[in-house]
Amino acid sequence: MSATEQDATVRADVCVVGAGIAGMNALYVASRYLRPDQRIVLVDRNDRPGGMWVETYDYVRLHQPHPFFTAGNVKWDFGKPPEHLSSKTEVLDHLRHCLDEAEKAVQVTELFGHEYQSSEEENDVVVVTCRAPDGSPVRIVADRLIDAVGFSIEANQPLRLSSTRVRSVAPETCDMRDGPIAADDAPVWVIGSGKTGMDTLHALITHYPGREVNLIAGTGTFFINRDRLYPTGARRWWSGARPNWFLAELANRFDGTNEYDVATWAREKAGLWATPTAAHLFIGLISEAEIERIRAGLGRTVMDHLLDAVDDGDGVRLTLRSGGHVDVEPGSWLVNCTSHFDFADRPSEPPYVSASGRSIRIGATGLFGFSSFGGYFLTHLLFLDKIRTVPLYTTDSIALFQKSPLAGLVSLLTIAQYNLGLVADHAPAKVFQQCGLDFDRWYPLPRRFAGQLQFLIGHKRRREQYRRALDTMGERFGIDHGPVIGAEMAPTS
């Protein structure tokens, strides 16, 4: 039945909501369990698979080597070297390829351009309601629902500023390489020092050598040194820190109260930043060469937060949170690169599994740290009929990030280690062996094997430590936390 017909109903064995990296992993795993005659309905508001990659800025790149950004174990089908940082177009093409690979194994009905509205369990099925592009309602009746919306990141919009003498844009509305900003040589002020800010600075400095490019950096952000985690060539045999070891070590050092100590260790061990100081930890990668180029091309760096731009006589004044100000040239460009991960005023999400076990959610709740891993491992547990029996830990991560973004980040990494250990105890070994998301696949097999052995030996020994740290964190901030059984968080001891 056409999805645009009035009151259309589509029958499915599985409904997957969201076609980003989480949804693609969920769909791919589901396709490995279903028969060729069974059906998955894929719902997404965009017109193609890709999730946030569809709407984000055009000059974005992967910050990690591309082979480990995939669905299941689908390999990239282009001839780029493994260290290549794929462009937006390449990522979108690969996620389309991942969907095509799933469709070789099972029937998939693609409902792109459909806005998810609600879901409700009725008897032995889940009824999903969404709205087609023409506004007509569509009902999907499925045996299982995988709500894989991930973090539901929205594209940045230009800042609303009081001044009429500056031009406010956002990366999603103005390509730094050839958009309107290329038509003159007026100064550019980048607002925000996170991943989007670094990408924007790098694009501006690369494409317009000598142009005045400035930064309002907030407290400053530090990233993880890509050269440290992903050495190239023969150095992979003896140098570099395995990514899985690094992430596990962050969790190993967390006791529920010392997130600043954990961040300090990360900064000293493998941190890179372009600003004079950097207080904010972002688990994203950047290279030494990129940082050197940004530093060399930056004009002024202001370690403060922008409040507004106001006209002042014949000039323009940027007012800052500290009470200070910066005078800027009329006609300057202000580029909004503030955080996409804004949890302010967002309602808390329900636990990741419903009471019946028919519905799972891969969202901002604290599952596996990375939504791609949530899509992959939770879907395996769903089809192994273990989704209600393996007591995976979760927190009200939205409430936690609202209170402390740093504690939220370190807690998610700790939850990832705790939950991955539980999955290793309850899922077949092939679940891990066939996981193309494994960051350690960069390294030769002997080094990877040593890391796997270290994980298998150590995860049970560390489990109680992780549990104490997470319980301490939850009690400290007064948020819901604990293992989930069915649709309820188990009481903590």
Side-chain angles (χ1 to χ4, degrees), residues 86-110:
S86 290
S87 67
K88 173 180 177 176
T89 299
E90 291 168 341
V91 168
L92 290 173
D93 288 347
H94 177 65
L95 292 177
R96 177 69 246 186
H97 172 60
C98 292
L99 177 53
D100 293 340
E101 288 297 301
E103 290 180 341
K104 293 178 181 179
V106 69
Q107 298 181 47
V108 178
T109 297
E110 303 175 9

mmCIF file with all atom_site columns, all heavy atoms in Angstrom, residues 86-110:
data_model
loop_
_atom_site.group_PDB
_atom_site.id
_atom_site.type_symbol
_atom_site.label_atom_id
_atom_site.label_alt_id
_atom_site.label_comp_id
_atom_site.label_asym_id
_atom_site.label_entity_id
_atom_site.label_seq_id
_atom_site.pdbx_PDB_ins_code
_atom_site.Cartn_x
_atom_site.Cartn_y
_atom_site.Cartn_z
_atom_site.occupancy
_atom_site.B_iso_or_equiv
_atom_site.pdbx_formal_charge
_atom_site.auth_seq_id
_atom_site.auth_comp_id
_atom_site.auth_asym_id
_atom_site.auth_atom_id
_atom_site.pdbx_PDB_model_num
ATOM 1   N N   . SER A 1 86  ? 36.646 10.765  5.446  1.00 0.00 ? 86  SER A N   1
ATOM 2   C CA  . SER A 1 86  ? 35.626 10.873  4.408  1.00 0.00 ? 86  SER A CA  1
ATOM 3   C C   . SER A 1 86  ? 34.821 12.149  4.517  1.00 0.00 ? 86  SER A C   1
ATOM 4   O O   . SER A 1 86  ? 34.534 12.658  5.608  1.00 0.00 ? 86  SER A O   1
ATOM 5   C CB  . SER A 1 86  ? 34.685 9.665   4.475  1.00 0.00 ? 86  SER A CB  1
ATOM 6   O OG  . SER A 1 86  ? 35.348 8.501   4.068  1.00 0.00 ? 86  SER A OG  1
ATOM 7   N N   . SER A 1 87  ? 34.436 12.670  3.358  1.00 0.00 ? 87  SER A N   1
ATOM 8   C CA  . SER A 1 87  ? 33.619 13.871  3.266  1.00 0.00 ? 87  SER A CA  1
ATOM 9   C C   . SER A 1 87  ? 32.157 13.538  3.545  1.00 0.00 ? 87  SER A C   1
ATOM 10  O O   . SER A 1 87  ? 31.766 12.363  3.637  1.00 0.00 ? 87  SER A O   1
ATOM 11  C CB  . SER A 1 87  ? 33.737 14.470  1.868  1.00 0.00 ? 87  SER A CB  1
ATOM 12  O OG  . SER A 1 87  ? 33.145 13.595  0.907  1.00 0.00 ? 87  SER A OG  1
ATOM 13  N N   . LYS A 1 88  ? 31.353 14.582  3.644  1.00 0.00 ? 88  LYS A N   1
ATOM 14  C CA  . LYS A 1 88  ? 29.919 14.391  3.865  1.00 0.00 ? 88  LYS A CA  1
ATOM 15  C C   . LYS A 1 88  ? 29.303 13.543  2.756  1.00 0.00 ? 88  LYS A C   1
ATOM 16  O O   . LYS A 1 88  ? 28.546 12.601  3.029  1.00 0.00 ? 88  LYS A O   1
ATOM 17  C CB  . LYS A 1 88  ? 29.228 15.752  3.937  1.00 0.00 ? 88  LYS A CB  1
ATOM 18  C CG  . LYS A 1 88  ? 27.706 15.690  4.009  1.00 0.00 ? 88  LYS A CG  1
ATOM 19  C CD  . LYS A 1 88  ? 27.098 17.076  4.086  1.00 0.00 ? 88  LYS A CD  1
ATOM 20  C CE  . LYS A 1 88  ? 25.569 17.013  4.091  1.00 0.00 ? 88  LYS A CE  1
ATOM 21  N NZ  . LYS A 1 88  ? 24.956 18.350  4.256  1.00 0.00 ? 88  LYS A NZ  1
ATOM 22  N N   . THR A 1 89  ? 29.629 13.851  1.510  1.00 0.00 ? 89  THR A N   1
ATOM 23  C CA  . THR A 1 89  ? 29.068 13.097  0.392  1.00 0.00 ? 89  THR A CA  1
ATOM 24  C C   . THR A 1 89  ? 29.460 11.633  0.473  1.00 0.00 ? 89  THR A C   1
ATOM 25  O O   . THR A 1 89  ? 28.637 10.731  0.233  1.00 0.00 ? 89  THR A O   1
ATOM 26  C CB  . THR A 1 89  ? 29.537 13.696  -0.939 1.00 0.00 ? 89  THR A CB  1
ATOM 27  O OG1 . THR A 1 89  ? 29.073 15.046  -1.036 1.00 0.00 ? 89  THR A OG1 1
ATOM 28  C CG2 . THR A 1 89  ? 29.002 12.901  -2.118 1.00 0.00 ? 89  THR A CG2 1
ATOM 29  N N   . GLU A 1 90  ? 30.714 11.364  0.811  1.00 0.00 ? 90  GLU A N   1
ATOM 30  C CA  . GLU A 1 90  ? 31.179 9.977   0.909  1.00 0.00 ? 90  GLU A CA  1
ATOM 31  C C   . GLU A 1 90  ? 30.482 9.229   2.037  1.00 0.00 ? 90  GLU A C   1
ATOM 32  O O   . GLU A 1 90  ? 30.137 8.051   1.888  1.00 0.00 ? 90  GLU A O   1
ATOM 33  C CB  . GLU A 1 90  ? 32.694 9.960   1.095  1.00 0.00 ? 90  GLU A CB  1
ATOM 34  C CG  . GLU A 1 90  ? 33.462 10.418  -0.142 1.00 0.00 ? 90  GLU A CG  1
ATOM 35  C CD  . GLU A 1 90  ? 34.926 10.687  0.135  1.00 0.00 ? 90  GLU A CD  1
ATOM 36  O OE1 . GLU A 1 90  ? 35.286 10.877  1.318  1.00 0.00 ? 90  GLU A OE1 1
ATOM 37  O OE2 . GLU A 1 90  ? 35.714 10.726  -0.831 1.00 0.00 ? 90  GLU A OE2 1
ATOM 38  N N   . VAL A 1 91  ? 30.280 9.899   3.161  1.00 0.00 ? 91  VAL A N   1
ATOM 39  C CA  . VAL A 1 91  ? 29.580 9.256   4.279  1.00 0.00 ? 91  VAL A CA  1
ATOM 40  C C   . VAL A 1 91  ? 28.149 8.923   3.889  1.00 0.00 ? 91  VAL A C   1
ATOM 41  O O   . VAL A 1 91  ? 27.654 7.809   4.140  1.00 0.00 ? 91  VAL A O   1
ATOM 42  C CB  . VAL A 1 91  ? 29.614 10.156  5.531  1.00 0.00 ? 91  VAL A CB  1
ATOM 43  C CG1 . VAL A 1 91  ? 28.660 9.632   6.595  1.00 0.00 ? 91  VAL A CG1 1
ATOM 44  C CG2 . VAL A 1 91  ? 31.028 10.244  6.094  1.00 0.00 ? 91  VAL A CG2 1
ATOM 45  N N   . LEU A 1 92  ? 27.460 9.874   3.268  1.00 0.00 ? 92  LEU A N   1
ATOM 46  C CA  . LEU A 1 92  ? 26.072 9.633   2.873  1.00 0.00 ? 92  LEU A CA  1
ATOM 47  C C   . LEU A 1 92  ? 25.982 8.502   1.859  1.00 0.00 ? 92  LEU A C   1
ATOM 48  O O   . LEU A 1 92  ? 25.077 7.658   1.926  1.00 0.00 ? 92  LEU A O   1
ATOM 49  C CB  . LEU A 1 92  ? 25.464 10.914  2.301  1.00 0.00 ? 92  LEU A CB  1
ATOM 50  C CG  . LEU A 1 92  ? 25.225 12.041  3.320  1.00 0.00 ? 92  LEU A CG  1
ATOM 51  C CD1 . LEU A 1 92  ? 24.782 13.310  2.607  1.00 0.00 ? 92  LEU A CD1 1
ATOM 52  C CD2 . LEU A 1 92  ? 24.192 11.631  4.358  1.00 0.00 ? 92  LEU A CD2 1
ATOM 53  N N   . ASP A 1 93  ? 26.924 8.464   0.924  1.00 0.00 ? 93  ASP A N   1
ATOM 54  C CA  . ASP A 1 93  ? 26.920 7.375   -0.064 1.00 0.00 ? 93  ASP A CA  1
ATOM 55  C C   . ASP A 1 93  ? 27.159 6.023   0.617  1.00 0.00 ? 93  ASP A C   1
ATOM 56  O O   . ASP A 1 93  ? 26.553 5.014   0.240  1.00 0.00 ? 93  ASP A O   1
ATOM 57  C CB  . ASP A 1 93  ? 27.993 7.624   -1.123 1.00 0.00 ? 93  ASP A CB  1
ATOM 58  C CG  . ASP A 1 93  ? 27.634 8.757   -2.072 1.00 0.00 ? 93  ASP A CG  1
ATOM 59  O OD1 . ASP A 1 93  ? 26.461 9.179   -2.074 1.00 0.00 ? 93  ASP A OD1 1
ATOM 60  O OD2 . ASP A 1 93  ? 28.532 9.221   -2.799 1.00 0.00 ? 93  ASP A OD2 1
ATOM 61  N N   . HIS A 1 94  ? 28.030 6.016   1.626  1.00 0.00 ? 94  HIS A N   1
ATOM 62  C CA  . HIS A 1 94  ? 28.301 4.742   2.300  1.00 0.00 ? 94  HIS A CA  1
ATOM 63  C C   . HIS A 1 94  ? 27.083 4.267   3.093  1.00 0.00 ? 94  HIS A C   1
ATOM 64  O O   . HIS A 1 94  ? 26.771 3.065   3.102  1.00 0.00 ? 94  HIS A O   1
ATOM 65  C CB  . HIS A 1 94  ? 29.499 4.863   3.234  1.00 0.00 ? 94  HIS A CB  1
ATOM 66  C CG  . HIS A 1 94  ? 29.779 3.601   3.993  1.00 0.00 ? 94  HIS A CG  1
ATOM 67  N ND1 . HIS A 1 94  ? 30.179 2.437   3.373  1.00 0.00 ? 94  HIS A ND1 1
ATOM 68  C CD2 . HIS A 1 94  ? 29.658 3.302   5.318  1.00 0.00 ? 94  HIS A CD2 1
ATOM 69  C CE1 . HIS A 1 94  ? 30.312 1.474   4.280  1.00 0.00 ? 94  HIS A CE1 1
ATOM 70  N NE2 . HIS A 1 94  ? 30.009 1.973   5.457  1.00 0.00 ? 94  HIS A NE2 1
ATOM 71  N N   . LEU A 1 95  ? 26.393 5.192   3.766  1.00 0.00 ? 95  LEU A N   1
ATOM 72  C CA  . LEU A 1 95  ? 25.207 4.769   4.519  1.00 0.00 ? 95  LEU A CA  1
ATOM 73  C C   . LEU A 1 95  ? 24.110 4.270   3.581  1.00 0.00 ? 95  LEU A C   1
ATOM 74  O O   . LEU A 1 95  ? 23.363 3.347   3.927  1.00 0.00 ? 95  LEU A O   1
ATOM 75  C CB  . LEU A 1 95  ? 24.716 5.914   5.402  1.00 0.00 ? 95  LEU A CB  1
ATOM 76  C CG  . LEU A 1 95  ? 25.660 6.264   6.561  1.00 0.00 ? 95  LEU A CG  1
ATOM 77  C CD1 . LEU A 1 95  ? 25.139 7.461   7.345  1.00 0.00 ? 95  LEU A CD1 1
ATOM 78  C CD2 . LEU A 1 95  ? 25.862 5.080   7.502  1.00 0.00 ? 95  LEU A CD2 1
ATOM 79  N N   . ARG A 1 96  ? 24.026 4.838   2.384  1.00 0.00 ? 96  ARG A N   1
ATOM 80  C CA  . ARG A 1 96  ? 23.113 4.294   1.378  1.00 0.00 ? 96  ARG A CA  1
ATOM 81  C C   . ARG A 1 96  ? 23.556 2.882   0.973  1.00 0.00 ? 96  ARG A C   1
ATOM 82  O O   . ARG A 1 96  ? 22.729 1.978   0.794  1.00 0.00 ? 96  ARG A O   1
ATOM 83  C CB  . ARG A 1 96  ? 23.095 5.209   0.161  1.00 0.00 ? 96  ARG A CB  1
ATOM 84  C CG  . ARG A 1 96  ? 22.252 4.736   -1.011 1.00 0.00 ? 96  ARG A CG  1
ATOM 85  C CD  . ARG A 1 96  ? 20.764 4.768   -0.711 1.00 0.00 ? 96  ARG A CD  1
ATOM 86  N NE  . ARG A 1 96  ? 20.180 3.426   -0.695 1.00 0.00 ? 96  ARG A NE  1
ATOM 87  C CZ  . ARG A 1 96  ? 18.873 3.213   -0.564 1.00 0.00 ? 96  ARG A CZ  1
ATOM 88  N NH1 . ARG A 1 96  ? 18.027 4.222   -0.427 1.00 0.00 ? 96  ARG A NH1 1
ATOM 89  N NH2 . ARG A 1 96  ? 18.404 1.991   -0.550 1.00 0.00 ? 96  ARG A NH2 1
ATOM 90  N N   . HIS A 1 97  ? 24.862 2.691   0.846  1.00 0.00 ? 97  HIS A N   1
ATOM 91  C CA  . HIS A 1 97  ? 25.406 1.372   0.531  1.00 0.00 ? 97  HIS A CA  1
ATOM 92  C C   . HIS A 1 97  ? 25.076 0.364   1.637  1.00 0.00 ? 97  HIS A C   1
ATOM 93  O O   . HIS A 1 97  ? 24.743 -0.793  1.354  1.00 0.00 ? 97  HIS A O   1
ATOM 94  C CB  . HIS A 1 97  ? 26.915 1.480   0.328  1.00 0.00 ? 97  HIS A CB  1
ATOM 95  C CG  . HIS A 1 97  ? 27.622 0.172   0.193  1.00 0.00 ? 97  HIS A CG  1
ATOM 96  N ND1 . HIS A 1 97  ? 27.347 -0.739  -0.809 1.00 0.00 ? 97  HIS A ND1 1
ATOM 97  C CD2 . HIS A 1 97  ? 28.619 -0.392  0.949  1.00 0.00 ? 97  HIS A CD2 1
ATOM 98  C CE1 . HIS A 1 97  ? 28.128 -1.801  -0.673 1.00 0.00 ? 97  HIS A CE1 1
ATOM 99  N NE2 . HIS A 1 97  ? 28.898 -1.613  0.382  1.00 0.00 ? 97  HIS A NE2 1
ATOM 100 N N   . CYS A 1 98  ? 25.162 0.794   2.896  1.00 0.00 ? 98  CYS A N   1
ATOM 101 C CA  . CYS A 1 98  ? 24.808 -0.086  4.013  1.00 0.00 ? 98  CYS A CA  1
ATOM 102 C C   . CYS A 1 98  ? 23.350 -0.514  3.927  1.00 0.00 ? 98  CYS A C   1
ATOM 103 O O   . CYS A 1 98  ? 23.013 -1.684  4.184  1.00 0.00 ? 98  CYS A O   1
ATOM 104 C CB  . CYS A 1 98  ? 25.073 0.613   5.351  1.00 0.00 ? 98  CYS A CB  1
ATOM 105 S SG  . CYS A 1 98  ? 26.824 0.897   5.716  1.00 0.00 ? 98  CYS A SG  1
ATOM 106 N N   . LEU A 1 99  ? 22.477 0.409   3.563  1.00 0.00 ? 99  LEU A N   1
ATOM 107 C CA  . LEU A 1 99  ? 21.061 0.076   3.405  1.00 0.00 ? 99  LEU A CA  1
ATOM 108 C C   . LEU A 1 99  ? 20.872 -0.904  2.251  1.00 0.00 ? 99  LEU A C   1
ATOM 109 O O   . LEU A 1 99  ? 20.105 -1.877  2.358  1.00 0.00 ? 99  LEU A O   1
ATOM 110 C CB  . LEU A 1 99  ? 20.252 1.350   3.165  1.00 0.00 ? 99  LEU A CB  1
ATOM 111 C CG  . LEU A 1 99  ? 18.753 1.201   2.908  1.00 0.00 ? 99  LEU A CG  1
ATOM 112 C CD1 . LEU A 1 99  ? 18.075 0.379   3.990  1.00 0.00 ? 99  LEU A CD1 1
ATOM 113 C CD2 . LEU A 1 99  ? 18.102 2.581   2.794  1.00 0.00 ? 99  LEU A CD2 1
ATOM 114 N N   . ASP A 1 100 ? 21.581 -0.688  1.153  1.00 0.00 ? 100 ASP A N   1
ATOM 115 C CA  . ASP A 1 100 ? 21.487 -1.607  0.009  1.00 0.00 ? 100 ASP A CA  1
ATOM 116 C C   . ASP A 1 100 ? 21.937 -3.015  0.397  1.00 0.00 ? 100 ASP A C   1
ATOM 117 O O   . ASP A 1 100 ? 21.347 -4.005  -0.050 1.00 0.00 ? 100 ASP A O   1
ATOM 118 C CB  . ASP A 1 100 ? 22.341 -1.091  -1.148 1.00 0.00 ? 100 ASP A CB  1
ATOM 119 C CG  . ASP A 1 100 ? 21.806 0.205   -1.741 1.00 0.00 ? 100 ASP A CG  1
ATOM 120 O OD1 . ASP A 1 100 ? 20.614 0.511   -1.531 1.00 0.00 ? 100 ASP A OD1 1
ATOM 121 O OD2 . ASP A 1 100 ? 22.589 0.913   -2.408 1.00 0.00 ? 100 ASP A OD2 1
ATOM 122 N N   . GLU A 1 101 ? 22.988 -3.104  1.226  1.00 0.00 ? 101 GLU A N   1
ATOM 123 C CA  . GLU A 1 101 ? 23.465 -4.415  1.659  1.00 0.00 ? 101 GLU A CA  1
ATOM 124 C C   . GLU A 1 101 ? 22.419 -5.120  2.518  1.00 0.00 ? 101 GLU A C   1
ATOM 125 O O   . GLU A 1 101 ? 22.223 -6.334  2.394  1.00 0.00 ? 101 GLU A O   1
ATOM 126 C CB  . GLU A 1 101 ? 24.778 -4.258  2.440  1.00 0.00 ? 101 GLU A CB  1
ATOM 127 C CG  . GLU A 1 101 ? 25.965 -3.885  1.576  1.00 0.00 ? 101 GLU A CG  1
ATOM 128 C CD  . GLU A 1 101 ? 26.287 -4.955  0.546  1.00 0.00 ? 101 GLU A CD  1
ATOM 129 O OE1 . GLU A 1 101 ? 26.562 -6.107  0.949  1.00 0.00 ? 101 GLU A OE1 1
ATOM 130 O OE2 . GLU A 1 101 ? 26.228 -4.650  -0.665 1.00 0.00 ? 101 GLU A OE2 1
ATOM 131 N N   . ALA A 1 102 ? 21.742 -4.386  3.384  1.00 0.00 ? 102 ALA A N   1
ATOM 132 C CA  . ALA A 1 102 ? 20.686 -4.995  4.199  1.00 0.00 ? 102 ALA A CA  1
ATOM 133 C C   . ALA A 1 102 ? 19.542 -5.482  3.320  1.00 0.00 ? 102 ALA A C   1
ATOM 134 O O   . ALA A 1 102 ? 18.940 -6.538  3.584  1.00 0.00 ? 102 ALA A O   1
ATOM 135 C CB  . ALA A 1 102 ? 20.187 -3.994  5.237  1.00 0.00 ? 102 ALA A CB  1
ATOM 136 N N   . GLU A 1 103 ? 19.250 -4.754  2.258  1.00 0.00 ? 103 GLU A N   1
ATOM 137 C CA  . GLU A 1 103 ? 18.132 -5.112  1.387  1.00 0.00 ? 103 GLU A CA  1
ATOM 138 C C   . GLU A 1 103 ? 18.422 -6.351  0.549  1.00 0.00 ? 103 GLU A C   1
ATOM 139 O O   . GLU A 1 103 ? 17.506 -6.914  -0.058 1.00 0.00 ? 103 GLU A O   1
ATOM 140 C CB  . GLU A 1 103 ? 17.779 -3.918  0.493  1.00 0.00 ? 103 GLU A CB  1
ATOM 141 C CG  . GLU A 1 103 ? 17.156 -2.776  1.285  1.00 0.00 ? 103 GLU A CG  1
ATOM 142 C CD  . GLU A 1 103 ? 16.806 -1.573  0.419  1.00 0.00 ? 103 GLU A CD  1
ATOM 143 O OE1 . GLU A 1 103 ? 17.363 -1.476  -0.699 1.00 0.00 ? 103 GLU A OE1 1
ATOM 144 O OE2 . GLU A 1 103 ? 16.004 -0.740  0.863  1.00 0.00 ? 103 GLU A OE2 1
ATOM 145 N N   . LYS A 1 104 ? 19.672 -6.786  0.511  1.00 0.00 ? 104 LYS A N   1
ATOM 146 C CA  . LYS A 1 104 ? 19.984 -8.055  -0.150 1.00 0.00 ? 104 LYS A CA  1
ATOM 147 C C   . LYS A 1 104 ? 19.548 -9.252  0.694  1.00 0.00 ? 104 LYS A C   1
ATOM 148 O O   . LYS A 1 104 ? 19.399 -10.354 0.164  1.00 0.00 ? 104 LYS A O   1
ATOM 149 C CB  . LYS A 1 104 ? 21.488 -8.140  -0.425 1.00 0.00 ? 104 LYS A CB  1
ATOM 150 C CG  . LYS A 1 104 ? 21.997 -7.133  -1.439 1.00 0.00 ? 104 LYS A CG  1
ATOM 151 C CD  . LYS A 1 104 ? 23.501 -7.257  -1.599 1.00 0.00 ? 104 LYS A CD  1
ATOM 152 C CE  . LYS A 1 104 ? 24.037 -6.222  -2.599 1.00 0.00 ? 104 LYS A CE  1
ATOM 153 N NZ  . LYS A 1 104 ? 25.521 -6.317  -2.743 1.00 0.00 ? 104 LYS A NZ  1
ATOM 154 N N   . ALA A 1 105 ? 19.376 -9.027  1.992  1.00 0.00 ? 105 ALA A N   1
ATOM 155 C CA  . ALA A 1 105 ? 19.059 -10.126 2.907  1.00 0.00 ? 105 ALA A CA  1
ATOM 156 C C   . ALA A 1 105 ? 17.595 -10.169 3.305  1.00 0.00 ? 105 ALA A C   1
ATOM 157 O O   . ALA A 1 105 ? 17.089 -11.226 3.686  1.00 0.00 ? 105 ALA A O   1
ATOM 158 C CB  . ALA A 1 105 ? 19.926 -10.018 4.166  1.00 0.00 ? 105 ALA A CB  1
ATOM 159 N N   . VAL A 1 106 ? 16.895 -9.043  3.247  1.00 0.00 ? 106 VAL A N   1
ATOM 160 C CA  . VAL A 1 106 ? 15.538 -8.972  3.770  1.00 0.00 ? 106 VAL A CA  1
ATOM 161 C C   . VAL A 1 106 ? 14.790 -7.884  3.008  1.00 0.00 ? 106 VAL A C   1
ATOM 162 O O   . VAL A 1 106 ? 15.401 -6.988  2.412  1.00 0.00 ? 106 VAL A O   1
ATOM 163 C CB  . VAL A 1 106 ? 15.564 -8.667  5.289  1.00 0.00 ? 106 VAL A CB  1
ATOM 164 C CG1 . VAL A 1 106 ? 16.051 -7.264  5.550  1.00 0.00 ? 106 VAL A CG1 1
ATOM 165 C CG2 . VAL A 1 106 ? 14.220 -8.922  5.947  1.00 0.00 ? 106 VAL A CG2 1
ATOM 166 N N   . GLN A 1 107 ? 13.468 -7.953  3.011  1.00 0.00 ? 107 GLN A N   1
ATOM 167 C CA  . GLN A 1 107 ? 12.670 -6.908  2.369  1.00 0.00 ? 107 GLN A CA  1
ATOM 168 C C   . GLN A 1 107 ? 12.664 -5.657  3.248  1.00 0.00 ? 107 GLN A C   1
ATOM 169 O O   . GLN A 1 107 ? 12.446 -5.746  4.457  1.00 0.00 ? 107 GLN A O   1
ATOM 170 C CB  . GLN A 1 107 ? 11.242 -7.386  2.161  1.00 0.00 ? 107 GLN A CB  1
ATOM 171 C CG  . GLN A 1 107 ? 11.119 -8.590  1.243  1.00 0.00 ? 107 GLN A CG  1
ATOM 172 C CD  . GLN A 1 107 ? 9.677  -9.005  1.054  1.00 0.00 ? 107 GLN A CD  1
ATOM 173 O OE1 . GLN A 1 107 ? 8.802  -8.180  0.796  1.00 0.00 ? 107 GLN A OE1 1
ATOM 174 N NE2 . GLN A 1 107 ? 9.424  -10.306 1.199  1.00 0.00 ? 107 GLN A NE2 1
ATOM 175 N N   . VAL A 1 108 ? 12.907 -4.506  2.637  1.00 0.00 ? 108 VAL A N   1
ATOM 176 C CA  . VAL A 1 108 ? 12.901 -3.238  3.368  1.00 0.00 ? 108 VAL A CA  1
ATOM 177 C C   . VAL A 1 108 ? 11.976 -2.265  2.652  1.00 0.00 ? 108 VAL A C   1
ATOM 178 O O   . VAL A 1 108 ? 12.122 -2.024  1.449  1.00 0.00 ? 108 VAL A O   1
ATOM 179 C CB  . VAL A 1 108 ? 14.313 -2.625  3.472  1.00 0.00 ? 108 VAL A CB  1
ATOM 180 C CG1 . VAL A 1 108 ? 14.255 -1.281  4.210  1.00 0.00 ? 108 VAL A CG1 1
ATOM 181 C CG2 . VAL A 1 108 ? 15.273 -3.581  4.168  1.00 0.00 ? 108 VAL A CG2 1
ATOM 182 N N   . THR A 1 109 ? 11.018 -1.731  3.377  1.00 0.00 ? 109 THR A N   1
ATOM 183 C CA  . THR A 1 109 ? 10.168 -0.656  2.874  1.00 0.00 ? 109 THR A CA  1
ATOM 184 C C   . THR A 1 109 ? 10.714 0.661   3.392  1.00 0.00 ? 109 THR A C   1
ATOM 185 O O   . THR A 1 109 ? 10.769 0.873   4.607  1.00 0.00 ? 109 THR A O   1
ATOM 186 C CB  . THR A 1 109 ? 8.706  -0.839  3.327  1.00 0.00 ? 109 THR A CB  1
ATOM 187 O OG1 . THR A 1 109 ? 8.197  -2.057  2.776  1.00 0.00 ? 109 THR A OG1 1
ATOM 188 C CG2 . THR A 1 109 ? 7.848  0.330   2.864  1.00 0.00 ? 109 THR A CG2 1
ATOM 189 N N   . GLU A 1 110 ? 11.151 1.528   2.491  1.00 0.00 ? 110 GLU A N   1
ATOM 190 C CA  . GLU A 1 110 ? 11.765 2.798   2.861  1.00 0.00 ? 110 GLU A CA  1
ATOM 191 C C   . GLU A 1 110 ? 10.704 3.886   2.913  1.00 0.00 ? 110 GLU A C   1
ATOM 192 O O   . GLU A 1 110 ? 10.077 4.204   1.897  1.00 0.00 ? 110 GLU A O   1
ATOM 193 C CB  . GLU A 1 110 ? 12.854 3.176   1.861  1.00 0.00 ? 110 GLU A CB  1
ATOM 194 C CG  . GLU A 1 110 ? 13.942 2.130   1.714  1.00 0.00 ? 110 GLU A CG  1
ATOM 195 C CD  . GLU A 1 110 ? 14.936 2.483   0.622  1.00 0.00 ? 110 GLU A CD  1
ATOM 196 O OE1 . GLU A 1 110 ? 14.871 3.630   0.101  1.00 0.00 ? 110 GLU A OE1 1
ATOM 197 O OE2 . GLU A 1 110 ? 15.772 1.636   0.273  1.00 0.00 ? 110 GLU A OE2 1
#
